[in-house]
């Protein structure tokens, strides 16, 4: 089971790293998952992410108090909006766009309702 958690940690860490460069792929949520998976397989790697000077503070704030910064909320909602706009611009199937809009609306509403740091 340890190797499953370790694999999941590395996968989500990789996705988080990719999210640094792709505006529509979130970084911190993947790092949160990586810390969670590493806590079950390699606490040393989880602690290393938590100590990171750039990504550690928002992760610690979420884990301790369940808060998200206003800046992170703005970027997340803007990224989801850009993803929907891109899907419309590409002319994807309207059913796919509808599902995307519903999912982004639900996630955005939940995100905006979280307390701020």
């Amino acid at each position: 089971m340890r190797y499953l958690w370790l694999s999941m940690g590395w996968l989500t860490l990789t996705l988080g790293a990719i999210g640094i460069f792709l505006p529509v792929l979130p970084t911190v949520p993947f790092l949160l998952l990586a810390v969670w998976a590493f806590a079950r397989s390699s606490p040393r790697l989880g602690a290393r992410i938590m100590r990171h000077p750039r990504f550690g503070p928002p992760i610690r704030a979420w884990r301790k108090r369940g808060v998200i910064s206003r800046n992170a909320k703005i970027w997340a909602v803007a990224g989801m909006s850009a993803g929907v706009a891109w899907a419309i611009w590409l002319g994807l199937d309207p059913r796919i766009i509808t599902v995307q809009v519903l999912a982004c609306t639900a996630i955005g509403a939940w995100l905006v309702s979280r307390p701020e740091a």
Side-chain angles (χ1 to χ4, degrees):
M1 201 62 185
R2 178 177 183 264
Y3 291 112
L4 175 68
W5 295 122
L6 192 60
S7 297
M8 183 180 167
W10 281 110
L11 173 67
T12 55
L13 179 63
T14 301
L15 290 172
I18 292 169
I20 294 170
F21 304 103
L22 294 177
V24 295
L25 189 66
T27 300
V28 173
F30 284 117
L31 295 180
L32 283 167
L33 286 172
V35 168
W36 179 78
F38 284 141
R40 285 147 183 76
S41 61
S42 176
R44 181 181 59 83
L45 289 172
R48 188 169 176 190
I49 294 170
M50 295 278 286
R51 286 191 309 267
H52 190 276
R54 171 89 171 135
F55 301 111
I59 292 170
R60 289 190 304 271
W62 172 256
R63 291 188 77 190
K64 288 180 183 174
R65 299 180 313 278
V67 298
I68 302 171
S69 73
R70 180 172 292 185
N71 193 33
K73 291 179 184 184
I74 291 169
W75 278 102
V77 171
M80 287 187 283
S81 300
V84 169
W86 191 29
I88 292 169
W89 183 76
L90 289 174
L92 296 182
D93 185 334
R95 293 173 295 193
I96 293 172
I97 294 172
T98 301
V99 170
Q100 184 181 14
V101 167
L102 291 173
C104 288
T105 300
I107 293 167
W110 177 83
L111 183 69
V112 171
S113 72
R114 299 298 93 203
E116 291 187 5

